[in-house]
Amino acid sequence: MPKTPEGREAPSTHAGQGRRGDSERYSLVAVMELIRSGRADTRLEIERLSGLGRAVVTDRLTALIDLGLVEEGELGPAIGGRAPRRVKFRADAGRILVATLDSTTIGVGLADLAGRLRVEHYEAIDAAQGPAASLKRLDTLFDWMLDQYPEARDVWAIGLGTPVSLFNLDASGLNLDALDSAIATDKAPLTENLVARYRAPVWVRSLVQLMTIGEFGVRNEAGMSNRDFLYVDLGDEITAGLMSDGRLHRGAHGIAGQIGHIATDSSREVCRCGNIGCLELVAGAGAIVGEALQAAQDGRSRYLAEVLAANGQLALADIGFSARLGDPYCAELLSRCGQLIGKVLAGLANALNPAVIVLGGELARTGDILLAAIRETIYRHTAPVVTRDLQIIRSQMGRSAGLIGAGLLTVDALFASDRLGGWITTGTPLQHPDVQALLARVTQSRRMPPPPDPSPDR
């Protein structure tokens, strides 16, 4: 098996190809990766970094241009001779559909092959209607987005983020990644529905992990590179994502980060997970709104009582606004919840030693009282060396982080060296043998009659 310059095995090829075919495929992948990563943008740089000869580089660039993956750009600066013609990756050669689903909101977007989000759309969903209604709406929004942007090229893949609570841990293998899990609705996995509808592979991740990837990618692009950081999503559920040395930590089953189920001593209530006193029961957005509603009803907060009388309901934003107006109950409530969250994050900081903790989610947007309580508690309960350079900041990306992360993750999966070698000679990952087998399998499964109902006759 041929080796890359770093000593790794070259991308796998199909049976029946000779050494020459393997060599050409490997060199195409090597040139493609240099251009796409931005490490080389002229023939001379490609020759120097790849170790390939001038004739080979010229031939491979011609092939990549003909395939529509690379294009020539402007002239670069001349160094002792003719100015070199730059080459660049064609990020518009294909498109990625991305989506995020949670208990209150559905988001959809269209990303290019650089993982950049070109358009995004969000709307509220009614959780009471069940997941089937949300997934049907997802199809409608994807179709609408493609109709609104007819100039978009072929959909190469779909990236999807969902809460872990929607995962069906019996993996279907329909998304080319055995560690990913399909989402089941009405006995039909979501990934199968999407593959059949859009004729493209699907990658599924937990929503907080995609938000973590999105925050990491944007910070890197802005020059704020921190290879070790913790992203915390503070909503009804409290979850976290960890980047360690630039890599996402997923865990054995892909669901790492369920910190909302770390036990506290502040409640004896039974959580939906079956345990007692979980953090989200006392500091999640839903728990906070529930406490505030009780305070408004029994007169402990004049501000909240007025809001409840005027609107008939309370929202988390009302609590944050009332705290900023000086309502002592709301200020104390947010401060107390911030301390509970801070104690859990202090334990993670001691264990993981991140450079940055990014706080996102609707609870993080309530104001500075909660953020100050989290910071103070972390600093008080961690070793001095851990917090010496630790930054604790509020996310500036909001819900866009999940869609950006879905785009970045999916693009990286498509262009991973081993997968790239399987399709680069065709110019599209839709011709990868695994994708073709996936499409055939889904088509066949939809032609077959559904299995009989296993329930006993009455």
Side-chain angles (χ1 to χ4, degrees), residues 67-272:
L67 289 168
L69 297 173
V70 169
E71 64 184 353
E72 291 186 324
E74 70 282 357
L75 292 174
I79 304 176
R82 181 184 301 178
R85 177 72 64 180
R86 296 188 185 279
V87 291
K88 61 180 180 179
F89 172 58
R90 286 194 59 193
D92 63 346
R95 286 291 183 266
I96 308 296
L97 284 172
V98 292
T100 56
L101 290 166
D102 61 26
S103 59
T104 61
T105 307
I106 184 171
V108 296
L110 199 62
D112 64 19
L113 299 183
R116 293 185 293 258
L117 198 60
R118 294 305 188 183
V119 61
E120 57 188 311
H121 168 81
Y122 304 90
E123 59 182 54
I125 55 177
D126 184 1
Q129 295 183 3
S134 299
L135 301 179
K136 183 178 180 180
R137 184 59 181 164
L138 175 62
D139 288 342
T140 301
L141 290 175
F142 273 165
D143 291 345
W144 167 79
M145 186 156 288
L146 292 175
D147 288 341
Q148 291 295 307
Y149 298 91
E151 73 280 6
R153 304 295 183 97
D154 290 341
V155 174
W156 279 17
I158 298 171
L160 177 65
T162 74
V164 168
S165 56
L166 286 182
F167 270 38
N168 168 15
L169 295 181
D170 295 323
S172 70
L174 288 172
N175 44 22
L176 300 184
D177 188 337
L179 294 179
D180 284 349
S181 300
I183 302 171
T185 172
D186 296 335
K187 300 182 181 178
L190 170 61
T191 48
E192 180 177 316
N193 294 338
L194 292 175
V195 168
R197 190 179 187 89
Y198 299 102
R199 310 302 293 172
V202 180
W203 275 268
V204 183
R205 290 289 188 273
S206 77
L207 182 52
V208 71
Q209 290 177 7
L210 291 186
M211 290 179 173
T212 305
I213 293 171
E215 291 278 351
F216 181 75
V218 171
R219 288 179 65 83
N220 275 352
E221 190 173 346
M224 300 180 290
S225 178
N226 298 107
R227 295 179 63 81
D228 296 271
F229 83 87
L230 191 68
Y231 174 79
V232 184
D233 185 43
L234 302 172
D236 288 336
E237 299 180 12
I238 299 178
T239 53
L242 172 67
M243 298 298 298
S244 179
D245 194 25
R247 290 178 172 271
L248 178 71
H249 176 72
R250 296 189 61 204
H253 300 294
I255 58 172
Q258 304 307 296
I259 65 173
H261 297 290
I262 294 176
T264 70
D265 296 328
S266 302
S267 172
R268 301 305 300 169
E269 185 179 351
V270 178
C271 179
R272 58 190 173 86

Side-chain angles (χ1 to χ4, degrees), residues 255-313:
I255 58 172
Q258 304 307 296
I259 65 173
H261 297 290
I262 294 176
T264 70
D265 296 328
S266 302
S267 172
R268 301 305 300 169
E269 185 179 351
V270 178
C271 179
R272 58 190 173 86
C273 72
N275 291 321
I276 295 175
C278 292
L279 177 64
E280 67 180 42
L281 291 177
V282 290
I288 292 175
V289 172
E291 284 198 44
L293 179 61
Q294 186 64 44
Q297 292 170 341
D298 60 24
R300 283 178 289 153
S301 170
R302 179 173 61 85
Y303 286 96
L304 293 181
E306 293 174 354
V307 172
L308 181 61
N311 300 331
Q313 60 183 5

